[in-house]
Amino acid sequence: MKTYFRLLSFAKPINKFAIPYILCTLLSVIFSTLNLALLAPLLETLFNKELNQTIAPMPDSYFDIFKVFKHYTTTIASQYGKIQSLEFVCGCIAASVLLGNLFRYFADRTMESLRIQTLLNLRKTVFNNVMNLHLGYFSNERKGDIISKIASDVQVVQFTVTGTLQVLFKEPAQLISFLVILFLISYKLTLVSMLVIPVAGLIISRIVKRLKEQATASHQTYGMMISYLDEALNGIRIVKAFNAVGFITGRFDEQNRRYSKISRSMAKRQQLASPVSETLGVLMVAGIVFYGGSLIINNQGNMDGSTFVVYIALFSQIMRPAKAISTAFSNIHSGIAAGDRVLELIDQQPAITNAPDAITLNSFTEEIRFEGVSFAYGEKKVLDNITISIPKGSTVALVGPSGGGKSTLMDLIPRFMDPQSGNILIDGKNLKSVTMESLRALMGVVNQESILFNDTIFNNIAFAKPSATLAEVEAAARIANAHEFIIKTENGYDTNIGDKGSKLSGGQRQRICIARAVLSNPPLMLLDEATSALDTESEKMVQDALNNLMKNRTSLVIAHRLSTIQNADIIIVLDNGRVAEQGTHQQLLEHNGIYKRLIEMQTFGN
């Protein structure tokens, strides 16, 4: 139940919905029960030939509704006739039905508002928390499973939590109201019939016993299936190029079959609860008809025929709320299992956060300095005691064999990760002492992979500055050598570029990314060489754009091409996580070490 109440906390402000819902539900239950109770005076009016001869006395309590209505029907029949008495009874039934359904409508409206509020708060919380997690988390988790939790699991939770809350208040209230009327009619008969209800509850509980375990397996399998779908769609070119369609479809089909098998087993248990409860209900009614009928035949009960018919009608309805409660308990297992997965995502704490006393960094004036920085992925050390300086206004190139730690070193500057030991300083301030938002506001990033969104060219360039004008976006595009090809597209800057920029060439995508970095006009640029995967013509256009971008800025470049490296002010050679060499292009060539060998091979990995 701890999970359930945690999920319920997302329904805040719950008082806004709870009080109107409780009030409307109680009134709906009262009038709905009264509908059946009014059958007694209706039958009495229709079939009692002596109705207008004797006025029934008024009972001491208005809670004895059968005697109250009998008093009024006999009074009206004796004074105005049986037709007028029938009109009175039918009018009361019609008014009761109208009021019962009206209050049920208001109760359902209130609960729907609560459901939507719960979904809004839950999905907002889980998505916000995911966005605040560090990059390392996404390297270890399947994206499809995260999508499944945010989309599918949250949907299951919001319906189960609010639906169960609705059933666990409304149905018990309805059940209690039926029992109250039944006890008023005949407490002996009701006590006997109540002995059968625990037996029905025990049978149904055994049917739904394994549902939570199956629900957990169901959500996990669904998450895996979405992961395979996401991977297949993202890698569709490779899948087809390597004739791997059979392997991919087979892997997906295996999870799909497993999910279907679990769902079928769960459905069998859930659907079995309803016919079992109905069968038990019919058997109970049959037993009560026999027992109560024998009491009336032998003149041993205090009921007449019309009251007994109403008793049977009421008791036949008592299994409906009981069945709804049992169904709610079977459904809650699925909701709790989904809730555990969602809460696991919400409880995931970001490894990198702002210090409580973090200050805002407004400018970059001196240098970025690494002092004895080390970093490892698990037991694999990637950076080992790195000490380097990146002076303001300089272009620093990182080169070295693949796996040397270049990308990791660059990711430490915007605090995508934190070093295990050592310090990184910006203008003498430890990066951990400044807010990440103000730190990243000073940086522009261009990755080797062009990361774009399924939106217009304008919105992709203005991504980091939504308030940018068209003139500002055009100016950034000109610096990035992108304006000419943009105006030739179908709708210019309003052209949609497709998923991940699929409607553009590789060089065009990179120039859009460069324009995006230019627009924010950051003093510090982090460039994971953007030309390594391009053809010669595109490379020249992008390289010119990069040269424009780096003017009058501090730049840290992961370099793969000689054209970028030889113009750098400082070249840092990383090998096995250590600084192997450092200097200008000419100095390192004269040193005759790793750098010269790499230049001769002209292979620079990531």
Side-chain angles (χ1 to χ4, degrees):
M1 291 304 289
K2 181 181 177 182
T3 299
Y4 181 82
F5 285 116
R6 275 199 66 190
L7 295 171
L8 193 60
S9 69
F10 290 96
K12 293 177 181 178
I14 196 168
N15 291 341
K16 176 182 175 182
F17 306 101
I19 295 174
Y21 175 73
I22 290 172
L23 181 62
C24 291
T25 299
L26 286 176
L27 290 170
S28 172
V29 165
I30 290 170
F31 285 112
S32 298
T33 308
L34 197 60
N35 295 339
L36 292 172
L38 286 170
L39 286 174
L42 177 62
L43 294 172
E44 186 77 15
T45 303
L46 289 172
F47 301 116
N48 189 349
K49 296 181 179 181
E50 301 176 353
L51 182 69
N52 56 355
Q53 297 177 4
T54 305
I55 297 177
M58 186 70 174
D60 297 331
S61 171
Y62 273 94
F63 288 104
D64 196 346
I65 58 173
F66 293 103
K67 291 182 179 179
V68 170
F69 271 98
K70 190 169 186 177
H71 167 75
Y72 284 116
T73 54
T74 55
T75 299
I76 294 171
S78 64
Q79 294 180 3
Y80 304 104
K82 290 183 68 175
I83 295 297
Q84 283 71 25
S85 180
L86 182 62
E87 290 176 353
F88 169 72
V89 174
C90 290
C92 290
I93 292 175
S96 179
V97 170
L98 176 63
L99 290 171
N101 283 301
L102 183 65
F103 285 117
R104 186 180 69 177
Y105 167 73
F106 287 131
D108 290 343
R109 277 280 305 273
T110 304
M111 184 52 67
E112 182 66 13
S113 297
L114 177 64
R115 183 188 69 78
I116 293 171
Q117 181 74 13
T118 303
L119 175 62
L120 173 69
N121 292 336
L122 187 59
R123 189 164 280 161
K124 177 183 177 181
T125 301
V126 68
F127 185 75
N128 287 352
N129 193 65
V130 168
M131 288 296 98
N132 287 325
L133 293 175
H134 60 289
L135 292 182
Y137 175 81
F138 300 98
S139 302
N140 299 321
E141 296 293 325
R142 286 184 175 271
K143 187 169 64 175
D145 195 46
I146 296 174
I147 294 172
S148 173
K149 290 177 182 178
I150 296 175
S152 174
D153 290 355
V154 167
Q155 203 76 8
V156 172
V157 167
Q158 55 109 6
F159 275 112
T160 302
V161 169
T162 55
T164 304
L165 184 66
Q166 184 176 7
V167 168
L168 292 183
F169 177 77
K170 178 184 176 182
E171 304 305 342
Q174 187 73 73
L175 188 62
I176 291 170
S177 67
F178 283 151
L179 288 173
V180 168
I181 299 296
L182 292 175
F183 272 106
L184 287 174
I185 296 174
S186 174
Y187 72 89
K188 290 182 179 179
L189 192 57
T190 305
L191 285 174
V192 171
S193 62
M194 288 289 290
L195 296 176
V196 189
I197 293 178
V199 177
L202 180 63
I203 293 173
I204 293 172
S205 68
R206 291 187 66 85
I207 292 174
V208 301
K209 186 177 180 182
R210 287 192 63 240
L211 277 178
K212 184 177 181 181
E213 178 185 334
Q214 290 179 320
T216 301
S218 170
H219 293 305
Q220 290 173 344
T221 305
Y222 183 79
M224 185 67 73
M225 196 163 57
I226 295 298
S227 293
Y228 288 161
L229 174 63
D230 176 67
E231 290 173 358
L233 294 177
N234 285 332
I236 190 68
R237 286 179 179 272
I238 297 299
V239 170
K240 290 183 177 295
F242 285 90
N243 290 323
V245 172
F247 169 74
I248 291 296
T249 54
R251 188 174 66 165
F252 182 86
D253 186 57
E254 180 184 352
Q255 290 299 321
N256 193 18
R257 287 178 181 277
R258 184 163 178 252
Y259 177 72
S260 299
K261 182 179 179 181
I262 296 171
S263 299
R264 193 176 295 114
S265 178
M266 289 176 62
K268 181 178 68 175
R269 290 177 175 273
Q270 289 172 328
Q271 292 163 1
L272 187 60
S274 179
V276 167
S277 62
E278 286 189 12
T279 302
L280 291 171
V282 170
L283 293 175
M284 291 166 64
V285 170
I288 289 166
V289 169
F290 175 78
Y291 179 67
S294 63
L295 291 178
I296 292 174
I297 292 172
N298 296 323
N299 295 319
Q300 294 178 352
N302 297 322
M303 294 184 293
D304 53 27
S306 61
T307 307
F308 183 60
V309 170
V310 173
Y311 186 93
I312 296 301
L314 283 166
F315 195 86
S316 66
Q317 292 296 307
I318 204 171
M319 288 307 295
R320 183 184 60 77
K323 183 174 70 174
I325 292 171
S326 69
T327 302
F329 273 111
S330 66
N331 288 339
I332 199 174
H333 290 304
S334 179
I336 294 299
D340 285 334
R341 281 166 51 82
V342 173
L343 291 175
E344 178 188 353
L345 202 52
I346 291 174
D347 291 339
Q348 190 72 39
Q349 296 298 315
I352 301 171
T353 56
N354 288 327
D357 57 348
I359 61 173
T360 300
L361 194 64
N362 296 315
S363 62
F364 172 48
T365 58
E366 298 176 14
E367 66 172 1
I368 295 176
R369 181 164 179 78
F370 286 67
E371 294 182 345
V373 171
S374 296
F375 183 87
Y377 293 104
E379 296 182 357
K380 182 183 178 184
K381 183 166 277 192
V382 181
L383 297 177
D384 186 9
N385 196 30
I386 298 291
T387 299
I388 60 173
S389 179
I390 304 170
K392 177 178 170 59
S394 63
T395 297
V396 177
L398 296 176
V399 301
S402 178
K406 301 184 295 297
S407 295
T408 300
L409 188 147
M410 183 175 283
D411 285 344
L412 292 175
I413 297 176
R415 287 197 71 197
F416 293 153
M417 302 175 291
D418 278 339
Q420 269 93 33
S421 62
N423 296 303
I424 306 174
L425 309 176
I426 181 167
D427 293 344
K429 302 179 185 69
N430 195 308
L431 293 191
K432 295 180 181 179
S433 69
V434 302
T435 63
M436 288 183 288
E437 294 76 15
S438 65
L439 174 66
R440 292 169 186 172
L442 299 175
M443 301 177 187
V445 179
V446 179
N447 295 301
Q448 184 174 357
E449 179 187 0
S450 305
I451 300 174
L452 296 171
F453 301 92
N454 194 343
D455 206 335
T456 63
I457 292 174
F458 180 93
N459 288 338
N460 270 281
I461 295 176
F463 181 73
K465 190 180 178 182
S467 61
T469 64
L470 179 59
E472 290 175 318
V473 170
E474 283 188 10
R478 289 180 188 278
I479 294 173
N481 288 338
H483 179 72
E484 294 301 323
F485 85 78
I486 292 173
I487 60 175
K488 292 178 182 178
T489 58
E490 182 180 1
N491 297 310
Y493 283 85
D494 291 325
T495 300
N496 188 288
I497 63 174
D499 186 40
K500 297 182 180 179
S502 58
K503 295 180 181 179
L504 304 177
S505 69
Q508 289 172 337
R509 288 197 295 268
Q510 284 293 35
R511 281 178 276 165
I512 295 291
C513 291
I514 293 170
R516 180 174 62 194
V518 169
L519 183 63
S520 58
N521 195 27
L524 175 63
M525 292 303 308
L526 304 177
L527 308 173
D528 187 346
E529 178 65 75
T531 62
S532 61
L534 303 178
D535 58 77
T536 304
E537 183 178 353
S538 297
E539 179 187 350
K540 185 178 185 309
M541 296 289 290
V542 172
Q543 189 61 56
D544 289 342
L546 287 172
N547 292 336
N548 293 335
L549 176 64
M550 291 188 288
K551 286 178 182 177
N552 304 317
R553 289 187 176 89
T554 307
S555 302
L556 179 64
V557 184
I558 295 179
H560 306 96
R561 300 292 177 96
L562 179 60
S563 56
T564 303
I565 301 167
Q566 61 188 7
N567 294 322
D569 299 306
I570 303 172
I571 300 170
I572 298 172
V573 183
L574 292 179
D575 186 27
N576 293 323
R578 291 178 172 271
V579 176
E581 297 172 326
Q582 185 172 340
T584 64
H585 173 68
Q586 194 60 41
Q587 288 171 342
L588 293 177
L589 284 179
E590 293 173 357
H591 189 265
N592 199 26
I594 296 175
Y595 178 77
K596 184 177 181 180
R597 188 173 74 250
L598 290 173
I599 288 294
E600 291 171 351
M601 294 172 61
Q602 187 69 126
T603 55
F604 297 93
N606 283 315

